[in-house]
Amino acid sequence: MFTVLIGKVYQMKHEYLIGFRQALLRDIVDIYNYADINEFPKGVVCMEIHNCNLNIHYTASKEIWEQLSQMYTEMPYWIGFVEGIPHWYGTSGKQISASVEPSGLQLYAELPQEEWEKWLSNFKSRASIIMGYEVGEPEEGFDFLGFWDDSDYAKEE
């Protein structure tokens, strides 16, 4: 009798999980059946992944990085440094993080496009004041100014 009871519980749990998985897949398929984000059911938010490198070079002075760190805390949706990495949002699947890379300050985000553009524009404006030059993406023609010296690389060769 005990084996039969365990078998029934397992079967019920298994059927529940299958039902849950089918409902979840049905919801995902329903979302992707919409050709236009404006047709999504009310309450459905479409997240997009964004990667952005800015012309803020890792060789910036300690004072500049301290000012940028202060600016981070003043940006909307700031949640703090997580293992030394600045983070914003962190709820409802939304997130932004920053890291210092050889290619510049890198921002990674999972946000709806319009919200990302607004946040990034605010970030660039504030950072431009600190840096003393217009902050933007090197891929779009914004140069690294004031810190990067190409002659350092020529000496290594």
Side-chain angles (χ1 to χ4, degrees):
M1 175 146 162
F2 185 69
T3 305
V4 172
L5 182 59
I6 297 268
K8 288 281 187 191
V9 169
Y10 175 79
Q11 182 181 359
M12 288 171 52
K13 183 177 176 184
H14 183 70
E15 288 173 0
Y16 173 78
L17 289 175
I18 288 174
F20 178 75
R21 183 175 59 203
Q22 287 173 339
L24 182 60
L25 288 173
R26 187 173 49 249
D27 290 344
I28 291 170
V29 168
D30 286 346
I31 289 171
Y32 283 102
N33 282 335
Y34 291 92
D36 182 359
I37 191 169
N38 297 320
E39 297 177 8
F40 274 27
K42 189 173 185 172
V44 173
V45 177
C46 181
M47 297 294 177
E48 294 184 40
I49 294 176
H50 308 278
N51 284 292
C52 171
N53 287 321
L54 298 176
N55 59 338
I56 300 175
H57 201 257
Y58 67 91
T59 59
S61 68
K62 181 179 178 183
E63 293 78 23
I64 291 289
W65 285 113
E66 287 172 356
Q67 290 176 27
L68 288 170
S69 292
Q70 179 60 39
M71 183 200 81
Y72 294 166
T73 66
E74 297 165 359
M75 287 294 298
Y77 307 104
W78 171 251
I79 60 171
F81 288 94
V82 179
E83 296 183 14
I85 299 170
H87 280 80
W88 297 267
Y89 288 92
T91 58
S92 304
K94 296 178 179 181
Q95 66 171 319
I96 299 175
S97 62
S99 63
V100 180
E101 306 293 338
S103 58
L105 181 67
Q106 183 180 49
L107 297 171
Y108 170 85
E110 293 180 23
L111 288 173
Q113 181 69 32
E114 186 176 312
E115 194 168 350
W116 165 244
E117 289 172 359
K118 182 179 177 184
W119 191 92
L120 181 60
S121 176
N122 185 8
F123 187 94
K124 289 178 182 178
S125 295
R126 291 178 180 205
S128 293
I129 294 167
I130 292 169
M131 300 305 295
Y133 60 83
E134 189 172 5
V135 170
E137 298 174 60
E139 295 86 5
E140 294 178 356
F142 291 87
D143 291 327
F144 291 92
L145 300 175
F147 306 104
W148 182 325
D149 183 3
D150 287 334
S151 64
D152 290 341
Y153 297 102
K155 291 176 190 174
E156 293 176 10
E157 293 178 1

